[in-house]
Amino acid sequence: MDIVLGIGTLLVVLLAMTLFLNFAPFGKEGLQALSGAACSTMLPQAFLSYALGEIFHITFLKDIGDLAGSLTGVAVGILTCLNLGISPVFAVIVGLVLKDFQLLPAFIAAYLVAFGLKYIQKKVPEGLDLIVVILLAPAIAYGIAKLISPGVIAVLHQIGSAVTAVGQNNPYALAVILGLIIPVTGMTPLSSMVLATLLGLTSTPMAIGAITCMGASFVNFVLFKELKIGGPSKAFAVAIEPLTQIDIIAKYPLQLYGTNAIIGVVNAIIVTVSGLVLNTPGMATPIAGPVVLFGFNEPVKIVITLVIVAVVSIILSLIIGKLIKKLNLSKLNFKTPKLNKQAN
């Protein structure tokens, strides 16, 4: 039952974010803000606090990293408003009051308030609009976040508990699911960092997220070169951060998503066998995640696992890439119905 519940919750979260991306007003812009906030706060915390501060005992860097990590609410509030076309000044006014809230409640509050701000920008005369925003936006944004935060956090904790239960009862079943989902999600605006954060992944599941994302970097680099997608600069860019090449990736969904899913499962099983753990949530990212592993595991075990995953990813992606070319599947694609453009 725990396996069904855990897998089900993973799929429900992914489905909900996919529906939001495709059908919510400014869904893509909203999720890009969510991903950007995670990158601008959690990545500095990962590198400065966990990778450098704790491992090398540099208190100054640890303090800076922890400060950045504590401002996810501010970051997502500001970026969400900016991505929805709100004035930078208004965006900061909203973002500042969300300081004490976690990523998702702050995002929901900012996303909803942004529509009211768009109306004020259009209807209220310039100059007077600032006063109206100051009087209304901070209180409304704070009130929404305060109201929904307990429920949202409780649901996320429940999901995290279900996922943990799966890992305890059948770690390989969880490895297969995470191996399928995490690398593919990292190639979409949903962002693997955001998904891992929302699920509250820690321990071996978080190590799976980090290392499968690293493996995906090798996979994407090889496939871009093998299938002649873009030039050398594009192959290098997608290996460093796949989110920078979303437009190109979307043109080859079957080849890239499919290959990453298959190899992701293999890599996830390798990580599970290794027994590596990562107790910092949100580290499903190609570079920071593997670096932070050194704060929680024996260095030799980490290096061996990373080398195995890198070699397996390169070999399997070369084999699959050559099969795709041999079977003339390089341009194979399914046409998806175009969505109506979202109103500005």
Side-chain angles (χ1 to χ4, degrees):
M1 185 62 187
D2 286 332
I3 294 176
V4 174
L5 181 60
I7 292 173
T9 51
L10 274 171
L11 296 178
V12 166
V13 170
L14 191 60
L15 176 62
M17 296 180 76
T18 302
L19 292 174
F20 180 86
L21 170 67
N22 288 296
F23 298 106
F26 300 97
K28 180 179 179 181
E29 290 82 359
L31 286 179
Q32 286 175 337
L34 195 62
S35 175
C39 291
S40 62
T41 57
M42 294 176 184
L43 277 180
Q45 184 178 30
F47 277 112
L48 299 176
S49 180
Y50 302 123
L52 296 177
E54 289 190 1
I55 294 175
F56 297 103
H57 306 290
I58 305 175
T59 305
F60 174 68
L61 292 179
K62 187 178 186 306
D63 291 342
I64 295 175
D66 288 339
L67 175 61
S70 70
L71 297 175
T72 55
V74 175
V76 78
I78 293 173
L79 289 176
T80 300
C81 290
L82 289 176
N83 277 19
L84 268 66
I86 304 304
S87 159
V89 174
F90 297 170
V92 173
I93 290 173
V94 171
L96 291 178
V97 301
L98 298 174
K99 174 184 178 296
D100 295 328
F101 296 100
Q102 294 189 22
L103 190 67
L104 190 57
F107 166 70
I108 294 172
Y111 176 78
L112 294 175
V113 167
F115 290 98
L117 293 177
K118 290 177 76 68
Y119 181 82
I120 291 173
Q121 287 183 163
K122 288 182 179 180
K123 300 297 183 180
V124 178
E126 189 174 353
L128 181 60
D129 58 354
L130 177 60
I131 305 301
V132 174
V133 168
I134 291 174
L135 293 175
L136 296 178
I140 294 174
Y142 185 91
I144 292 174
K146 188 78 172 177
L147 180 65
I148 67 174
S149 187
V152 171
I153 299 304
V155 170
L156 294 178
H157 283 168
Q158 184 61 41
I159 292 173
S161 298
V163 172
T164 302
V166 174
Q168 292 172 345
N169 293 332
N170 194 330
Y172 293 100
L174 182 60
V176 170
I177 298 302
L178 292 178
L180 284 169
I181 292 176
I182 295 290
V184 173
T185 306
M187 299 161 63
T188 72
L190 305 182
S191 170
S192 54
M193 282 189 70
V194 170
L195 181 62
T197 301
L198 296 183
L199 293 175
L201 298 182
T202 56
S203 192
T204 299
M206 190 65 264
I208 291 172
I211 297 178
T212 54
C213 284
M214 185 207 76
S217 289
F218 289 99
V219 173
N220 289 326
F221 179 82
V222 171
L223 287 181
F224 266 55
K225 299 281 284 185
E226 192 71 20
L227 303 180
K228 294 180 172 54
I229 300 174
S233 61
K234 298 295 184 183
F236 180 77
V238 78
I240 298 298
E241 179 48 72
L243 291 177
T244 63
Q245 305 301 318
I246 284 179
D247 292 341
I248 295 178
I249 290 171
K251 297 177 182 178
Y252 303 87
L254 298 177
Q255 298 86 347
L256 296 176
Y257 294 151
T259 303
N260 273 281
I262 294 169
I263 300 177
V265 169
V266 176
N267 288 337
I269 293 173
I270 293 171
V271 177
T272 302
V273 172
S274 75
L276 294 177
V277 298
L278 206 173
N279 291 323
T280 303
M283 290 297 99
T285 177
I287 299 175
V291 171
V292 176
L293 280 169
F294 285 89
F296 300 95
N297 305 273
E298 296 178 3
V300 174
K301 184 189 291 186
I302 297 171
V303 172
I304 291 173
T305 304
L306 294 181
V307 169
I308 292 173
V309 167
V311 172
V312 167
S313 298
I314 292 171
I315 292 173
L316 290 181
S317 55
L318 277 171
I319 293 172
I320 294 175
K322 290 184 182 301
L323 282 174
I324 289 173
K325 287 200 304 183
K326 185 174 182 179
L327 298 175
N328 198 26
L329 301 177
S330 298
K331 301 297 181 181
L332 180 64
N333 197 356
F334 289 135
K335 291 184 179 180
T336 54
K338 292 184 179 179
L339 299 174
N340 291 329
K341 289 186 178 179
Q342 295 167 343
N344 291 323

XYZ file of all heavy atoms in Angstrom, residues 171-210:
275
model
N 13.185 -0.011 -1.786
C 14.000 1.085 -2.327
C 14.180 1.024 -3.839
O 14.333 2.060 -4.483
C 15.340 0.916 -1.609
C 15.358 -0.495 -1.121
C 13.934 -0.839 -0.828
N 14.147 -0.171 -4.399
C 14.357 -0.270 -5.849
C 13.123 0.166 -6.634
O 13.240 0.695 -7.743
C 14.783 -1.690 -6.216
C 16.144 -2.026 -5.666
C 16.280 -2.779 -4.497
C 17.296 -1.540 -6.270
C 17.535 -3.050 -3.970
C 18.552 -1.807 -5.744
C 18.666 -2.562 -4.601
O 19.906 -2.816 -4.072
N 11.939 -0.038 -6.059
C 10.726 0.465 -6.706
C 10.755 1.990 -6.759
O 10.426 2.608 -7.779
C 9.482 -0.010 -5.958
N 11.159 2.599 -5.649
C 11.277 4.057 -5.621
C 12.368 4.539 -6.566
O 12.217 5.567 -7.230
C 11.567 4.537 -4.195
C 11.676 6.052 -4.009
C 10.376 6.739 -4.422
C 12.012 6.393 -2.566
N 13.474 3.797 -6.636
C 14.567 4.172 -7.532
C 14.098 4.220 -8.978
O 14.445 5.139 -9.730
C 15.724 3.187 -7.387
N 13.298 3.236 -9.382
C 12.783 3.197 -10.755
C 11.932 4.427 -11.042
O 12.085 5.091 -12.076
C 11.968 1.915 -10.993
C 11.233 1.992 -12.324
C 12.881 0.691 -10.966
N 11.035 4.761 -10.103
C 10.145 5.905 -10.316
C 10.929 7.217 -10.345
O 10.740 8.058 -11.234
C 9.065 5.956 -9.215
C 8.205 4.691 -9.258
C 8.184 7.192 -9.380
C 7.514 4.454 -10.586
N 11.824 7.412 -9.381
C 12.617 8.642 -9.360
C 13.543 8.728 -10.569
O 13.748 9.809 -11.133
C 13.440 8.721 -8.069
C 12.658 8.908 -6.772
C 13.602 8.907 -5.574
C 11.852 10.194 -6.797
N 14.096 7.598 -10.971
C 14.957 7.580 -12.156
C 14.216 7.964 -13.414
O 14.777 8.597 -14.322
N 12.952 7.608 -13.488
C 12.117 7.984 -14.638
C 11.759 9.464 -14.617
O 11.795 10.148 -15.649
C 10.831 7.163 -14.653
C 10.905 5.715 -15.124
C 9.591 5.000 -14.817
C 11.189 5.648 -16.623
N 11.414 9.977 -13.429
C 10.802 11.302 -13.331
C 11.817 12.432 -13.183
O 11.733 13.450 -13.885
C 9.805 11.332 -12.154
C 8.606 10.443 -12.460
C 9.338 12.760 -11.878
C 7.612 10.338 -11.321
N 12.779 12.281 -12.274
C 13.658 13.409 -11.925
C 14.464 13.933 -13.109
O 14.449 15.144 -13.388
C 14.592 13.031 -10.764
C 13.793 12.768 -9.488
C 15.624 14.129 -10.521
C 13.162 13.977 -8.871
N 15.186 13.088 -13.877
C 15.973 13.641 -14.993
C 15.101 14.309 -16.063
O 15.492 15.329 -16.635
C 16.691 12.410 -15.563
C 16.661 11.392 -14.482
C 15.388 11.626 -13.748
N 13.932 13.727 -16.334
C 13.046 14.298 -17.348
C 12.486 15.631 -16.872
O 12.418 16.607 -17.624
C 11.904 13.312 -17.688
C 10.887 13.967 -18.611
C 12.486 12.052 -18.332
N 12.080 15.693 -15.598
C 11.550 16.942 -15.045
C 12.594 18.044 -15.088
O 12.264 19.214 -15.270
C 11.090 16.724 -13.590
O 10.175 15.634 -13.534
C 10.411 17.970 -13.048
N 13.861 17.675 -14.932
C 14.933 18.666 -14.994
C 15.111 19.294 -16.353
O 15.814 20.299 -16.485
N 14.450 18.737 -17.384
C 14.533 19.277 -18.737
C 13.266 20.041 -19.117
O 13.008 20.296 -20.280
C 14.758 18.127 -19.725
C 16.054 17.363 -19.465
S 16.052 15.731 -20.230
C 15.946 16.180 -21.969
N 12.462 20.394 -18.115
C 11.219 21.131 -18.338
C 11.179 22.334 -17.401
O 11.943 22.396 -16.429
C 9.996 20.242 -18.055
O 9.878 20.044 -16.628
C 10.108 18.895 -18.751
N 10.271 23.275 -17.653
C 10.144 24.415 -16.731
C 9.722 24.009 -15.329
O 9.808 24.815 -14.404
C 9.057 25.272 -17.395
C 9.100 24.895 -18.834
C 9.443 23.442 -18.860
N 9.253 22.761 -15.160
C 8.877 22.312 -13.824
C 10.083 22.314 -12.904
O 9.969 22.581 -11.718
C 8.278 20.902 -13.880
C 7.089 20.660 -14.806
C 6.612 19.227 -14.684
C 5.956 21.615 -14.489
N 11.269 21.946 -13.423
C 12.531 21.942 -12.700
C 12.611 20.803 -11.686
O 11.755 20.656 -10.824
C 12.769 23.278 -11.992
O 13.867 23.193 -11.104
N 13.663 20.018 -11.801
C 13.888 18.920 -10.864
C 14.173 19.427 -9.452
O 13.812 18.786 -8.470
C 15.062 18.053 -11.352
O 16.207 18.852 -11.580
N 14.803 20.599 -9.332
C 15.060 21.177 -8.015
C 13.760 21.492 -7.292
O 13.599 21.206 -6.105
C 15.892 22.453 -8.129
C 17.370 22.242 -8.360
S 18.294 23.799 -8.211
C 18.154 24.087 -6.449
N 12.824 22.082 -8.024
C 11.535 22.437 -7.420
C 10.784 21.178 -7.018
O 10.228 21.088 -5.915
C 10.694 23.287 -8.389
C 9.271 23.449 -7.867
C 11.333 24.650 -8.593
N 10.743 20.184 -7.906
C 10.026 18.949 -7.598
C 10.625 18.267 -6.369
O 9.893 17.825 -5.472
C 10.074 17.999 -8.789
C 9.333 16.664 -8.609
C 7.848 16.901 -8.379
C 9.547 15.753 -9.819
N 11.950 18.189 -6.305
C 12.607 17.561 -5.156
C 12.337 18.335 -3.871
O 12.165 17.739 -2.802
C 14.109 17.464 -5.406
N 12.288 19.662 -3.991
C 12.005 20.494 -2.821
C 10.580 20.278 -2.329
O 10.327 20.125 -1.131
C 12.212 21.982 -3.157
O 13.563 22.183 -3.582
C 11.939 22.857 -1.943
N 9.630 20.290 -3.265
C 8.229 20.111 -2.893
C 7.999 18.747 -2.251
O 7.200 18.612 -1.323
C 7.333 20.266 -4.118
C 7.330 21.648 -4.790
C 6.338 21.679 -5.937
C 7.012 22.737 -3.786
N 8.686 17.723 -2.750
C 8.525 16.374 -2.207
C 9.297 16.182 -0.906
O 9.072 15.201 -0.199
C 8.992 15.336 -3.229
C 8.160 15.225 -4.507
C 8.807 14.262 -5.482
C 6.736 14.781 -4.190
N 10.197 17.110 -0.608
C 10.985 16.990 0.609
C 11.920 15.806 0.597
O 12.165 15.182 1.641
N 12.466 15.477 -0.572
C 13.349 14.309 -0.675
C 14.623 14.508 0.142
O 15.244 15.570 0.101
C 13.726 14.059 -2.138
C 12.598 13.739 -3.116
C 13.171 13.480 -4.506
C 11.785 12.544 -2.648
N 15.017 13.488 0.878
C 16.281 13.478 1.602
C 16.859 12.063 1.529
O 16.261 11.180 0.917
C 16.103 13.873 3.084
O 15.134 13.007 3.693
C 15.644 15.318 3.229
N 18.007 11.865 2.148
C 18.654 10.556 2.239
C 18.920 9.980 0.841
O 19.284 10.712 -0.082
C 17.807 9.604 3.080
O 18.535 8.434 3.399
N 18.706 8.681 0.658
C 18.999 8.047 -0.634
C 18.141 8.606 -1.778
O 18.662 8.808 -2.888
C 18.836 6.523 -0.537
O 19.770 6.020 0.434
C 19.124 5.862 -1.874
N 16.826 8.856 -1.584
C 16.044 9.458 -2.678
C 16.634 10.773 -3.190
O 16.632 11.029 -4.391
C 14.667 9.672 -2.041
C 14.573 8.587 -1.019
C 15.954 8.465 -0.453
N 17.169 11.613 -2.274
C 17.761 12.868 -2.724
C 19.078 12.621 -3.431
O 19.420 13.317 -4.394
C 17.974 13.806 -1.536
C 18.366 15.238 -1.922
S 17.088 16.122 -2.830
C 17.604 15.855 -4.532
N 19.838 11.627 -2.974
C 21.071 11.258 -3.675
C 20.755 10.768 -5.081
O 21.479 11.086 -6.038
C 21.822 10.174 -2.888
N 19.668 10.018 -5.219
C 19.225 9.574 -6.549
C 18.923 10.779 -7.427
O 19.335 10.843 -8.587
C 17.989 8.662 -6.430
C 18.371 7.319 -5.795
C 17.341 8.442 -7.802
C 17.172 6.437 -5.477
N 18.198 11.761 -6.865
C 17.864 12.953 -7.636
C 19.097 13.692 -8.117
O 19.178 14.100 -9.283
N 20.077 13.866 -7.230
C 21.285 14.609 -7.588
C 22.106 13.881 -8.643
O 22.530 14.475 -9.645
C 22.127 14.840 -6.326
